[in-house]
Amino acid sequence: MKILITSGGTTENIDAVRGITNHATGTLGKEVAECFLAQGHDVTLVTTQRAVKPKKHSKLKIVLVETVADLIAELEPLVKTHDVIIHSMAVSDYTPVYMTDLEEVEKAPAVKDLLHKSNTSAKISSQQDYQVLFLKKTPKVISLIKQWNPDIMLIGFKLLVGVPKEELLAVARRSLATNQAHYIVANDLTTIDDNQHLAYLVGKDDVVVAKTKKAIAEMILERVTHD
Amino acid sequence: MKILITSGGTTENIDAVRGITNHATGTLGKEVAECFLAQGHDVTLVTTQRAVKPKKHSKLKIVLVETVADLIAELEPLVKTHDVIIHSMAVSDYTPVYMTDLEEVEKAPAVKDLLHKSNTSAKISSQQDYQVLFLKKTPKVISLIKQWNPDIMLIGFKLLVGVPKEELLAVARRSLATNQAHYIVANDLTTIDDNQHLAYLVGKDDVVVAKTKKAIAEMILERVTHD
């Protein structure tokens, strides 16, 4: 099968030297890629420059992206030509619009007006005691996948931080329905560290639990190849 | 000599999954460290997890930091016990205080009041179309170095983006005086790529130019060991 995997975290630039980054390391995506490669599948991995990557492999192709806009541009044609997508990348949900000092915000007749401004300088000055950064929502990439290719099998991810298990599963089930996913891997940052990675593979009719990145990868492989 | 080098870029967290990052890779700091190690000096390198690092070496000690607060905590005792500091790290000049939606900013009696708020949720919600992030200035680490140890030789860095050479040199000369630096390495992001790295080593009485990272490292070594 042709397997498309996304991993790592996107960065949205504030100016030429600063950006807002999602802290994802790419470790889980690497593990999933290696799992599928070991079974002879073709893998395309869309990831970032600083993410951890699998070893070179004749059946592995790596595509590098940085921003959400890059990701959308690279992903659309790939989604149309793959059988399965495992979308584990942490995609920035907001992107910078305009950064200014407190005075401009205080003096603006309507705060909304500032959303139409943009910074002209390549490196925003650092003279003021405070800065205000306006951000706007990025497109939800996971919601575009089935629009691009209704036949692709979609495994999505949901990461929350410090919520009860019931809430995590409820949010995953909503994502499953909204994005027409086959499974959503639901996990919580507070139960992820170097030695464990607790995750629930949430399907329409079942929930399976895994406790390490390797177990998550094997669980995904098993579901994708036997469903 | 005991040489202290900083490299890479700090990250200031917005919440548990997002942060504002300086894009520095650590490549120049690595080059400088290798140059001093090759001449038999002791090197302590303060850098970040994702920065490029020199190969292991019996005279190299690596200290990892993430935020400006980490950097200050680690650096103070090190500055007091080293002869020279080459401070090439890109230090975040602002750190997040509070992130909220447009409505709260519009309704606030005074925008300033929001500077006293902080986010309670570990992962800020991504439901709203817009978000507003308030940031405050971090301490200027370079200005603390001579306060911590008046005898240390300080080589500072100044990175600007797309400015005339005269402005770059003027800003470097101001930093030289303000921070009591021995030299300021002044460079512009628009003249840095994989093949070149144009930099001016600005001293009280002279300016020397280098065109590659290796040449910058050698120029610093030469000035530090012969001045």
Side-chain angles (χ1 to χ4, degrees), chain B residues 17-33:
Chain B
V17 299
R18 287 175 280 219
I20 297 189
T21 295
N22 275 60
H23 295 317
T25 58
T27 317
L28 181 60
K30 168 182 181 286
E31 196 84 50
V32 175

Side-chain angles (χ1 to χ4, degrees), chain A residues 13 17-21 23 93-94 106 112 122-123 126 128-133 135 137 159 161, chain B residues 13 17-21 23 93-94 106 112 122-123 126 128-133 135-137 159 161:
Chain A
N13 292 323
V17 299
R18 288 175 279 219
I20 297 189
T21 294
H23 295 317
D93 28 32
Y94 290 95
E106 285 167 336
K112 265 197 187 94
K123 186 181 179 184
S126 54
Q128 306 293 326
D129 284 345
Y130 295 94
Q131 290 278 350
V132 186
L133 177 61
L135 302 123
K137 215 165 157 54
L159 177 71
V161 184
Chain B
N13 291 323
V17 299
R18 287 175 280 219
I20 297 189
T21 295
H23 295 317
D93 29 31
Y94 290 95
E106 284 167 337
K112 265 198 186 91
K123 186 182 179 183
S126 56
Q128 306 294 326
D129 284 345
Y130 296 96
Q131 290 278 351
V132 186
L133 177 61
L135 302 124
K136 70 171 181 207
K137 215 164 157 54
L159 177 70
V161 184

